[in-house]
Structure formats: structure tokens, C-alpha cells
Amino acid sequence: MKLKLIPLFLALSAAVCLAFAACDETPEEEKGADGHTHIAETFHADDEGHWKICTVCGEKFSEKNHTYDAKNVCGTCGYGSDFTKGLTYLLDELTDTYIVRGIGDAREVSALIIPAYYEGNAVTSIGAEAFDGCSDLESVVIPFGVTSIEARAFYGCASLKNVTLEGVSKLTSIGNYAFSHCKSLRKIMIPSAVTSIGENAFEYTSLTEIEFGGTVAEWQDLRKAEDWDLETENYTVTCTNGTISKDGTVTMN
Ligand SMILES: [Zn+2]
Ligand SMILES: [Zn+2]
């Protein structure tokens, strides 16, 4: 909820600034040596706090402490202090972001919380086979910055019941066999940003409920590869303006 308020706040601040022309005073810390205003869209974060890195000059700016909510998640950058330790990661050098590679030392964990940041950089992908066959996993929290869940990421996680996508999720793709044989999985939330679901992604799950963040038309347009829902239960997709059953029957609200 807080995350949704931030753009509104920024828009309001901008409007207030426009109303008072004298208000072009960028705080000193947000200006580079030659006077340019630093630019960065995303945060970096660690246990200590969050900051931005200017895409023009590479300088670190806007360094602040986190402001934790009741769930120990920072309302500004999304850093959570309760994340699972011991996972393994791979740095994507093109984007300077991390891919979760595997369960590492957290094999006994049943409630997995994937961090929004690792070593200061955003975590943007759950890698191929990352949690393949982790049969102790019962729940997983996926941070808002994750854009892809790769092939077989949660394949055969037989106890997995709850998949939580935190905040305003940026998830766009769910890979082939990503949740295949997660036989305890009855319900999944699919954010409206998702544009493709890979082949056999949810086969042999117990899906009865899919909560989709977009409209009926958007669900129908979403690319779903072959057998993505093979041998699931007769699920219902709840969209913002209606529902669709597994056989394609649409009921508009
Ligand atoms: Zn700069
Ligand atoms: Zn923060």
C-alpha cells in the first residue's frame, strides 16, 4: 500500500514545486560536483540503509536509514530485514542485479523470504531450477523487484502452499515448468504485469483459484504456452472485472 502512495506523493510534490517557481532548490546532496542533478530510478540497499547511484556520474546519493513498517519492510526501498539468509546468488553483470541461484545453506527452511536486495543490488530474478525439489518449502515471499521466475524454479516443491508476491510486483514472466508438480499449490496470485506463462508452468498443481491483477481481456491476451495448466483442478481466474473458468467460460462483474 505504501509503495503505491510514493508515486502519488512525488506527483504532488512536483505539482507543488510547479506552483512555486522559486522551488528549484535540489538539496545539495542530490547535486553532482558540476551542479547537475543526480538521476537514478532504483534504490540500492543493505542492512544499514538505502541509497541511489547516479546514472550520469556514478556518485552515491540520497543515503538514508530504512523506515521499517510492522512487517520489517522499508516503505521507501522495499528492503526487508527478515529475509532468508544463506541462499546463493549470481550477479547479472549487464544490469548489476542479482539472480537467486539456489537454496544454499537454507535447505531446512520452510518459510522462504527472498530478499529485495543482495550485497546492495536489487534481486530481479529467481534463476532456473533455483528451488527445484525443495520439498520442505511451504511458503515463499517474492520481492516486488523480481521480473522473472525462470524455468523449473520451484519444480516439485511438493509442500509449497503459499506464494506471496510483495508490493506492486514487477513480475513479467513465469518460466517453463516453474511450478510444475507443486501438488499442494491451490491458489496463486498473478500480477497484471505478467505477459507470459511458460509451458507446463503449473501442471500437476492443485490450482483452484488464480487471482489475476488485470482485466478479463488482459488475461485472455496473456501468452500462455502449451500445457501450462495440464492436470490442474478446475480453477477460476478472478480478474478485476469478471471471472474465467478453466474451460474458458467468462462471467463479467
Ligand atoms: Zn550525478
Ligand atoms: Zn530502505
Side-chain angles (χ1 to χ4, degrees), residues 2 13 16 32 68 79 121-122 124 132-133 138 140 148 151 169 179 219 239 246 253:
K2 279 189 175 168
S13 325
V16 169
Y68 289 120
Y79 184 90
N121 292 335
T124 56
D132 187 340
E138 290 176 15
V140 57
S148 68
S169 173
F179 293 94
W219 175 259
C239 307
K246 184 174 181 178
N253 289 346

Side-chain angles (χ1 to χ4, degrees), residues 15-174:
V16 169
C17 271
L18 287 174
F20 301 95
C23 173
D24 68 338
E25 288 166 21
T26 308
E28 278 309 307
E29 57 159 338
E30 308 217 340
K31 283 194 173 182
D34 64 357
H36 76 272
T37 302
H38 290 313
I39 299 170
E41 290 195 352
T42 55
F43 282 101
H44 294 256
D46 61 16
D47 271 352
E48 306 295 314
H50 54 248
W51 64 92
K52 290 183 168 184
I53 289 178
C54 178
T55 53
V56 178
C57 69
E59 227 175 83
K60 193 172 179 177
F61 70 102
S62 278
E63 196 169 5
K64 303 247 162 54
N65 292 332
H66 297 298
T67 47
Y68 289 120
D69 64 14
K71 288 162 82 184
N72 285 328
V73 174
C74 175
T76 305
C77 74
Y79 184 90
S81 62
D82 291 342
F83 63 85
T84 303
K85 315 288 192 292
L87 305 177
T88 56
Y89 299 85
L90 191 68
L91 180 67
D92 176 346
E93 290 182 5
L94 274 180
T95 56
D96 246 357
T97 63
Y98 278 100
I99 299 161
V100 182
R101 191 182 199 178
I103 191 87
D105 294 334
R107 190 155 279 280
E108 313 281 287
V109 167
S110 61
L112 176 68
I113 303 178
I114 296 170
Y117 298 90
Y118 179 70
E119 293 191 343
N121 292 335
V123 171
T124 56
S125 176
I126 315 296
E129 301 177 17
F131 303 106
D132 187 340
C134 291
S135 51
D136 287 344
L137 273 192
E138 290 176 15
S139 66
V140 57
V141 176
I142 297 174
F144 65 93
V146 165
T147 59
S148 68
I149 297 174
E150 300 295 336
R152 296 176 66 103
F154 294 97
Y155 185 95
C157 294
S159 310
L160 185 60
K161 283 190 215 45
N162 295 308
V163 178
T164 306
L165 293 150
E166 243 182 8
V168 183
S169 173
K170 294 180 182 170
L171 186 66
T172 59
S173 75
I174 299 174

